[in-house]
mmCIF file of all heavy atoms in Angstrom:
data_model
loop_
_atom_site.group_PDB
_atom_site.id
_atom_site.type_symbol
_atom_site.label_atom_id
_atom_site.label_comp_id
_atom_site.label_asym_id
_atom_site.label_seq_id
_atom_site.Cartn_x
_atom_site.Cartn_y
_atom_site.Cartn_z
ATOM 1 N N LEU V 4 6.505 9.639 4.053
ATOM 2 C CA LEU V 4 5.573 8.530 4.009
ATOM 3 C C LEU V 4 6.063 7.526 5.037
ATOM 4 O O LEU V 4 7.141 6.961 4.880
ATOM 5 C CB LEU V 4 5.527 7.881 2.626
ATOM 6 C CG LEU V 4 5.098 8.749 1.435
ATOM 7 C CD1 LEU V 4 5.236 7.963 0.138
ATOM 8 C CD2 LEU V 4 3.676 9.223 1.617
ATOM 9 N N SER V 21 -0.546 0.797 8.229
ATOM 10 C CA SER V 21 -0.905 2.201 8.111
ATOM 11 C C SER V 21 0.201 2.949 7.383
ATOM 12 O O SER V 21 1.375 2.605 7.509
ATOM 13 C CB SER V 21 -1.115 2.837 9.484
ATOM 14 O OG SER V 21 -2.176 2.228 10.185
ATOM 15 N N MET V 30 -2.428 17.819 -1.965
ATOM 16 C CA MET V 30 -2.804 16.456 -1.634
ATOM 17 C C MET V 30 -2.443 15.496 -2.755
ATOM 18 O O MET V 30 -2.645 15.795 -3.929
ATOM 19 C CB MET V 30 -4.302 16.371 -1.352
ATOM 20 C CG MET V 30 -4.718 16.958 -0.022
ATOM 21 S SD MET V 30 -4.229 15.895 1.351
ATOM 22 C CE MET V 30 -5.388 14.542 1.157
ATOM 23 N N PHE V 37 2.764 -1.449 -2.350
ATOM 24 C CA PHE V 37 3.511 -2.466 -3.065
ATOM 25 C C PHE V 37 4.215 -3.343 -2.051
ATOM 26 O O PHE V 37 4.354 -2.973 -0.890
ATOM 27 C CB PHE V 37 4.543 -1.832 -4.006
ATOM 28 C CG PHE V 37 3.967 -1.241 -5.261
ATOM 29 C CD1 PHE V 37 3.191 -0.099 -5.219
ATOM 30 C CD2 PHE V 37 4.218 -1.826 -6.495
ATOM 31 C CE1 PHE V 37 2.665 0.454 -6.372
ATOM 32 C CE2 PHE V 37 3.706 -1.287 -7.664
ATOM 33 C CZ PHE V 37 2.927 -0.148 -7.601
ATOM 34 N N VAL V 48 0.172 -4.224 -4.910
ATOM 35 C CA VAL V 48 -0.784 -4.855 -4.010
ATOM 36 C C VAL V 48 -2.151 -4.189 -4.118
ATOM 37 O O VAL V 48 -3.153 -4.840 -4.415
ATOM 38 C CB VAL V 48 -0.300 -4.805 -2.548
ATOM 39 C CG1 VAL V 48 -1.364 -5.386 -1.618
ATOM 40 C CG2 VAL V 48 1.011 -5.553 -2.397
ATOM 41 N N VAL V 64 -4.414 -10.665 -3.992
ATOM 42 C CA VAL V 64 -4.916 -10.241 -2.686
ATOM 43 C C VAL V 64 -6.390 -9.891 -2.704
ATOM 44 O O VAL V 64 -6.983 -9.684 -1.634
ATOM 45 C CB VAL V 64 -4.121 -9.043 -2.126
ATOM 46 C CG1 VAL V 64 -2.632 -9.354 -2.110
ATOM 47 C CG2 VAL V 64 -4.403 -7.774 -2.922
ATOM 48 N N ASN V 74 -8.774 10.767 4.880
ATOM 49 C CA ASN V 74 -8.135 11.983 4.382
ATOM 50 C C ASN V 74 -7.884 13.003 5.487
ATOM 51 O O ASN V 74 -6.893 13.731 5.450
ATOM 52 C CB ASN V 74 -8.983 12.606 3.277
ATOM 53 C CG ASN V 74 -9.005 11.774 2.007
ATOM 54 O OD1 ASN V 74 -8.244 10.815 1.857
ATOM 55 N ND2 ASN V 74 -9.875 12.138 1.074
ATOM 56 N N LYS V 87 -1.414 -15.541 3.941
ATOM 57 C CA LYS V 87 -0.700 -16.700 3.425
ATOM 58 C C LYS V 87 0.794 -16.458 3.521
ATOM 59 O O LYS V 87 1.238 -15.320 3.628
ATOM 60 C CB LYS V 87 -1.098 -16.950 1.966
ATOM 61 C CG LYS V 87 -2.589 -17.130 1.735
ATOM 62 C CD LYS V 87 -2.894 -17.269 0.250
ATOM 63 C CE LYS V 87 -4.378 -17.445 0.008
ATOM 64 N NZ LYS V 87 -4.685 -17.569 -1.444
ATOM 65 N N PRO V 88 1.601 -17.521 3.454
ATOM 66 C CA PRO V 88 3.055 -17.331 3.506
ATOM 67 C C PRO V 88 3.585 -16.385 2.436
ATOM 68 O O PRO V 88 4.553 -15.666 2.689
ATOM 69 C CB PRO V 88 3.599 -18.748 3.317
ATOM 70 C CG PRO V 88 2.525 -19.622 3.860
ATOM 71 C CD PRO V 88 1.236 -18.945 3.484
ATOM 72 N N TYR V 95 5.518 -1.434 1.026
ATOM 73 C CA TYR V 95 5.919 -0.049 0.792
ATOM 74 C C TYR V 95 4.717 0.796 0.405
ATOM 75 O O TYR V 95 3.924 0.406 -0.448
ATOM 76 C CB TYR V 95 6.963 0.022 -0.327
ATOM 77 C CG TYR V 95 8.242 -0.708 -0.006
ATOM 78 C CD1 TYR V 95 8.369 -2.067 -0.267
ATOM 79 C CD2 TYR V 95 9.315 -0.040 0.570
ATOM 80 C CE1 TYR V 95 9.534 -2.744 0.031
ATOM 81 C CE2 TYR V 95 10.488 -0.708 0.871
ATOM 82 C CZ TYR V 95 10.589 -2.056 0.600
ATOM 83 O OH TYR V 95 11.754 -2.719 0.897
ATOM 84 N N CYS V 96 4.619 1.938 1.005
ATOM 85 C CA CYS V 96 3.575 2.903 0.707
ATOM 86 C C CYS V 96 4.032 3.828 -0.410
ATOM 87 O O CYS V 96 5.209 4.196 -0.482
ATOM 88 C CB CYS V 96 3.250 3.697 1.967
ATOM 89 S SG CYS V 96 1.916 4.893 1.788
ATOM 90 N N SER V 105 -6.576 4.680 -13.838
ATOM 91 C CA SER V 105 -7.078 3.355 -13.538
ATOM 92 C C SER V 105 -6.303 2.277 -14.290
ATOM 93 O O SER V 105 -6.180 1.148 -13.816
ATOM 94 C CB SER V 105 -8.567 3.255 -13.859
ATOM 95 O OG SER V 105 -8.820 3.514 -15.232
ATOM 96 N N ALA V 108 -2.604 2.107 -12.360
ATOM 97 C CA ALA V 108 -2.542 2.055 -10.904
ATOM 98 C C ALA V 108 -1.617 0.952 -10.410
ATOM 99 O O ALA V 108 -1.068 1.060 -9.307
ATOM 100 C CB ALA V 108 -3.940 1.876 -10.325
ATOM 101 N N TYR V 113 4.634 5.880 -9.481
ATOM 102 C CA TYR V 113 4.291 6.774 -8.381
ATOM 103 C C TYR V 113 5.441 7.718 -8.070
ATOM 104 O O TYR V 113 6.602 7.440 -8.382
ATOM 105 C CB TYR V 113 3.913 5.965 -7.143
ATOM 106 C CG TYR V 113 2.609 5.208 -7.297
ATOM 107 C CD1 TYR V 113 2.552 4.012 -8.007
ATOM 108 C CD2 TYR V 113 1.434 5.691 -6.729
ATOM 109 C CE1 TYR V 113 1.357 3.325 -8.157
ATOM 110 C CE2 TYR V 113 0.244 5.004 -6.871
ATOM 111 C CZ TYR V 113 0.208 3.825 -7.582
ATOM 112 O OH TYR V 113 -0.983 3.139 -7.721
ATOM 113 N N TYR V 115 6.407 9.128 -4.919
ATOM 114 C CA TYR V 115 7.106 9.001 -3.646
ATOM 115 C C TYR V 115 6.913 7.616 -3.067
ATOM 116 O O TYR V 115 5.896 6.958 -3.305
ATOM 117 C CB TYR V 115 6.617 10.054 -2.644
ATOM 118 C CG TYR V 115 6.863 11.473 -3.076
ATOM 119 C CD1 TYR V 115 5.873 12.202 -3.723
ATOM 120 C CD2 TYR V 115 8.092 12.082 -2.844
ATOM 121 C CE1 TYR V 115 6.094 13.500 -4.133
ATOM 122 C CE2 TYR V 115 8.322 13.385 -3.256
ATOM 123 C CZ TYR V 115 7.322 14.081 -3.898
ATOM 124 O OH TYR V 115 7.544 15.377 -4.305
ATOM 125 N N VAL V 122 6.439 -7.665 7.019
ATOM 126 C CA VAL V 122 5.379 -8.587 7.407
ATOM 127 C C VAL V 122 5.919 -10.003 7.284
ATOM 128 O O VAL V 122 6.513 -10.356 6.261
ATOM 129 C CB VAL V 122 4.128 -8.419 6.530
ATOM 130 C CG1 VAL V 122 3.117 -9.531 6.817
ATOM 131 C CG2 VAL V 122 3.498 -7.058 6.760
ATOM 132 N N SER V 126 3.897 -20.375 9.603
ATOM 133 C CA SER V 126 3.048 -21.544 9.412
ATOM 134 C C SER V 126 3.385 -22.633 10.398
ATOM 135 O O SER V 126 4.291 -22.483 11.226
ATOM 136 C CB SER V 126 3.188 -22.065 7.988
ATOM 137 O OG SER V 126 4.511 -22.460 7.721
#
Side-chain angles (χ1 to χ4, degrees):
L4 300 175
S21 298
M30 286 287 288
F37 284 70
V48 176
V64 306
N74 291 350
K87 304 176 180 179
Y95 298 86
C96 183
S105 60
Y113 292 79
Y115 298 95
V122 172
S126 61

